[in-house]
Amino acid sequence: MEEFRRAYARLCAAPQEPVLLRLRERGAAPGRGRLDLAAQSLSLETCGALGRLLPGAAPFAEVALGDCGLSEEGGRGPRGGPADHLGLLFQGNNLRTMGAEALGKLLRQNKSIRSLILEWNSLGMWEQGFSSFCQGLGANNFLQRLDLRNNQINHQGAGELAMALKQNASLQELDLRWNNIGLLGGRALLNCLHSNKTLKRLELAGNNVPSDILKAVEQAMNHNQDRQTILSESQNRADILSKEVLSLKDEKTKQFLDLMDTIEKQREEIARSDRMSAARVSQLQEALDEQHSIMNSLKARLQMTEAALALSEQKVYNLGELLNAVRQEQTGMAECHFKELQQQKQEGADREAKLFRDLSVAEEKNLLLRNQVDELEKKCKIQQDQLFQVKQDLTNTTAELKLRAMQAEERLETEKRRFKQSLEDMESLRVKEVSHLTQHMEASEHSMQERIQKLEAIRIALEEELSQTKAAALTERGQAEEELIKVRNWARLEEQQRLEHLEEKLRLMTESRDEAQNCCLKQKQMVAEAQAKANQLSLHADGLRRRLEELQQDLNSKEEEKVTEVNKVKVELKEQIGHLQAERTAQDGLREKIAALERQLKAISSSHREAMLDKEGEISVLLEKLRMKEADISRMREEEARRASFLQNAIMAYVQGSPLGTHSSRK
């Protein structure tokens, strides 16, 4: 700011003291503010310097040049000034054609001005300049507020404005009060509103526009405001929906990863069970091979003579040891099966507990969302009450403003009467003083003539005295004339001071009236904002209700999935229990067969031949049982492979049926 003041002092040969004082005051204030040069009579030199300095002046957010009495040349000076500022105040400068053209060029080139105040400038009187200004407005897509009050705009100017509004897509507020737009101009503006969807506020009071056109304009403004609110709400909804879609995608990816983890775990379990079953089969095969070798040795030994009974008894002892080993292996296998059953039961219980925990968490979320909905409904009710109070306050303030306006008009009338009375009094005083001075001059001239007549007799002797008296008379006359001129100048100065004082009072009254109108407009805007907020809150509450319904549906679907999974687990557990029971019954049968074999071996010691026959029968029975066991083992393998393939197909069908699965398949 100090550099700006120094640059201004350097560019101006005779810088104005009020401008320097305002720049010093602005330099003491922190942050970006407004350069206020309103009501300052700026010279052409000052306007030229400001026009050079303002394009690069970053510290100003707003430049006020109102009531500066700028001429045509002075108005052209700062036309490129606020190129990087947000507001320009140009009211009360009586701009003409060249000033309007300069403003049109500024609007074409500028991309940062958001507010332009041009009231009390009579731009509508100059058709060519106003048309160029309207063309610049139509080419501008950054201005948001335009004030054209008291500019004597007629219906032709309103048509130019309508053409500009059809092209403009950024203006939101346009103030055209106290002009001469009339019926044709009102229709033109109303027709342009069909294509302009961004204008939210259009003021046409004091323009002799019919009430039906005003109502139609108001409806169009309301429609534009509703459209803007709907657009903002739709944008907010789209953002919320995108966030929800992203969250759902994240949840689905997590679920998919969990499913893949469970599938991998199940595959590992299946591979582990396959390895264990293969180990069991190999052990059984070894046991069968051993039994085959034992049976072959028994055949060879039975074909020998009775002298080999000791060897047969030794072999019987070896067979008893082998049977004990087989019993131990069977008990170990039974224990392993029992442990696996317990593990599967524990896993099923863990799954059920996890599902119950998920269900409890979802119910807690549902309760929290319901509480939030209740709180939002309470807030909506509170804001509706506040809206009602604001409306009451607004009605009270409008009534008070009307009373103040009536009082201000009465005061204006009384001041006008007093001013007229004071003017008449001053005129009468001036007439009396002039008549008194003329009488005094006539009396002095008459006395001088008498003196001249008396001194004519002694004129020859007293020429020097006569010249002195003439000089004295002339000096007295000059002094009297000077006194008369001073009195006249004093009277004129007093009249001018009184006129300026009364004009200042009138200006203050108009400013107070404008401030009152601005207060009314601000209160209306606050009411509209409160209504918009209430609508947004209601829409948010509806969205939350829909979200609650969706969550309830998700909970129901998850409960159904949980029930189906629990049923599947129960069915699998039942099948495994049935297989284990079948294996247990088979083991019992094997134990009974082993006892029968022991009895048969005891019978062999009594009679060798009967033992040989019995042994051959038992060998055939054992072979058949071994074949049955092998068939059972192969059937169990096929059932396990079928169950694994069925589980894998069901998981793949579930993954492909979900939305995430379809998305991954498309990729």
Side-chain angles (χ1 to χ4, degrees), residues 257-370:
L257 292 172
D258 294 335
L259 284 171
M260 293 302 292
D261 292 335
T262 54
I263 289 167
E264 289 178 356
K265 289 178 181 178
Q266 288 178 358
R267 284 179 180 174
E268 290 176 356
E269 290 177 356
I270 290 167
R272 195 182 299 114
S273 63
D274 289 335
R275 288 195 295 271
M276 291 175 69
S277 62
R280 289 174 192 166
V281 169
S282 62
Q283 289 175 0
L284 289 171
Q285 188 68 34
E286 289 175 356
L288 285 171
D289 293 336
E290 289 176 356
Q291 287 180 1
H292 278 295
S293 63
I294 291 164
M295 296 306 292
N296 291 324
S297 63
L298 286 172
K299 284 181 180 178
R301 287 166 186 172
L302 286 172
Q303 288 174 2
M304 292 179 180
T305 60
E306 293 178 356
L309 280 174
L311 294 172
S312 65
E313 288 177 356
Q314 186 66 33
K315 288 178 181 179
V316 168
Y317 179 76
N318 292 328
L319 284 171
E321 289 180 352
L322 289 171
L323 286 170
N324 291 324
V326 170
R327 285 177 184 175
Q328 289 177 0
E329 286 175 359
Q330 287 178 355
T331 53
M333 290 172 65
E335 287 175 359
C336 291
H337 282 294
F338 184 72
K339 288 179 181 178
E340 287 177 359
L341 247 173
Q342 286 182 350
Q343 287 180 359
Q344 289 176 358
K345 286 181 180 179
Q346 187 65 31
E347 288 176 357
D350 292 334
R351 288 179 185 174
E352 288 181 356
K354 187 177 179 181
L355 291 170
F356 281 118
R357 284 197 297 273
D358 294 334
L359 185 61
S360 63
V361 170
E363 288 176 354
E364 288 175 0
K365 287 182 180 179
N366 195 358
L367 290 172
L368 287 172
L369 290 171
R370 286 179 182 173

Side-chain angles (χ1 to χ4, degrees), residues 291 316 319-320 322-324 326-327 330 586-604 614-615 618 621-622 625:
Q291 287 180 1
V316 168
L319 284 171
L322 289 171
L323 286 170
N324 291 324
V326 170
R327 285 177 184 175
Q330 287 178 355
Q587 288 175 1
D588 293 333
L590 287 171
R591 286 174 185 173
E592 291 175 358
K593 288 174 183 178
I594 288 164
L597 285 170
E598 288 175 354
R599 289 192 298 271
Q600 287 175 2
L601 284 171
K602 288 178 181 179
I604 286 168
D614 292 330
K615 287 292 181 183
E618 286 174 0
V621 171
L622 284 171
K625 288 181 179 178

Side-chain angles (χ1 to χ4, degrees), residues 365-614:
K365 287 182 180 179
N366 195 358
L367 290 172
L368 287 172
L369 290 171
R370 286 179 182 173
N371 293 325
Q372 288 180 1
V373 169
D374 295 332
E375 289 176 0
L376 287 172
E377 289 177 354
K378 290 178 182 178
K379 287 180 181 178
C380 288
K381 289 180 181 178
I382 291 166
Q383 288 184 357
Q384 287 176 1
D385 297 332
Q386 289 178 358
L387 277 172
F388 181 71
Q389 290 179 0
V390 167
K391 287 181 180 179
Q392 287 182 353
D393 294 334
L394 194 142
T395 54
N396 295 326
T397 51
T398 51
E400 288 177 2
L401 289 171
K402 287 180 181 179
L403 290 172
R404 287 181 183 176
M406 294 294 291
Q407 290 175 2
E409 288 176 358
E410 290 175 1
R411 287 177 184 173
L412 280 172
E413 289 177 359
T414 54
E415 289 291 330
K416 286 180 181 179
R417 290 172 186 171
R418 288 179 185 174
F419 179 69
K420 288 180 181 179
Q421 189 66 32
S422 63
L423 285 175
E424 290 175 359
D425 294 338
M426 289 296 294
E427 189 67 26
S428 63
L429 286 171
R430 188 175 62 78
V431 171
K432 287 179 181 179
E433 286 175 356
V434 170
S435 63
H436 179 68
L437 289 171
T438 52
Q439 288 176 4
H440 181 67
M441 288 295 295
E442 287 174 0
S444 64
E445 287 177 358
H446 185 65
S447 64
M448 289 297 293
Q449 287 177 2
E450 287 179 353
R451 286 181 185 178
I452 291 166
Q453 289 176 2
K454 287 179 182 180
L455 293 171
E456 280 180 356
I458 56 173
R459 179 172 57 83
I460 297 167
L462 298 173
E463 284 181 357
E464 293 178 359
E465 292 181 359
L466 183 60
S467 62
Q468 291 176 358
T469 54
K470 284 182 179 179
L474 289 171
T475 54
E476 287 179 358
R477 188 171 182 178
Q479 289 176 359
E481 287 178 354
E482 287 178 357
E483 288 179 357
L484 193 142
I485 289 167
K486 287 180 181 179
V487 169
R488 286 179 180 175
N489 290 328
W490 179 71
R492 287 176 183 172
L493 287 171
E494 284 187 350
E495 288 178 358
Q496 288 178 358
Q497 289 176 357
R498 287 181 182 176
L499 285 170
E500 289 177 355
H501 182 65
L502 289 171
E503 287 177 354
E504 185 67 23
K505 284 185 178 179
L506 283 169
R507 191 173 65 80
L508 290 171
M509 293 298 291
T510 54
E511 287 179 356
S512 64
R513 185 189 64 188
D514 294 335
E515 288 178 357
Q517 290 176 356
N518 289 326
C519 289
C520 288
L521 293 173
K522 286 179 180 178
Q523 289 180 355
K524 287 181 181 178
Q525 288 177 359
M526 288 172 67
V527 170
E529 289 176 357
Q531 289 178 355
K533 286 180 180 177
N535 293 325
Q536 288 178 359
L537 287 171
S538 62
L539 291 171
H540 186 61
D542 294 334
L544 288 172
R545 287 173 183 169
R546 294 192 194 96
R547 182 64 179 163
L548 279 171
E549 292 176 356
E550 291 176 358
L551 288 171
Q552 191 66 35
Q553 291 177 0
D554 292 335
L555 281 172
N556 293 327
S557 63
K558 285 181 179 178
E559 286 179 355
E560 291 176 356
E561 291 176 357
K562 183 195 72 173
V563 171
T564 53
E565 288 179 356
V566 169
N567 291 326
K568 287 180 181 178
V569 170
K570 288 180 179 179
V571 170
E572 290 177 356
L573 287 172
K574 287 180 180 179
E575 289 177 355
Q576 291 178 359
I577 288 165
H579 289 304
L580 290 171
Q581 288 177 355
E583 287 178 358
R584 188 176 290 173
T585 54
Q587 288 175 1
D588 293 333
L590 287 171
R591 286 174 185 173
E592 291 175 358
K593 288 174 183 178
I594 288 164
L597 285 170
E598 288 175 354
R599 289 192 298 271
Q600 287 175 2
L601 284 171
K602 288 178 181 179
I604 286 168
S605 60
S606 60
S607 59
H608 295 289
R609 292 191 180 177
E610 289 177 359
M612 284 289 293
L613 294 172
D614 292 330

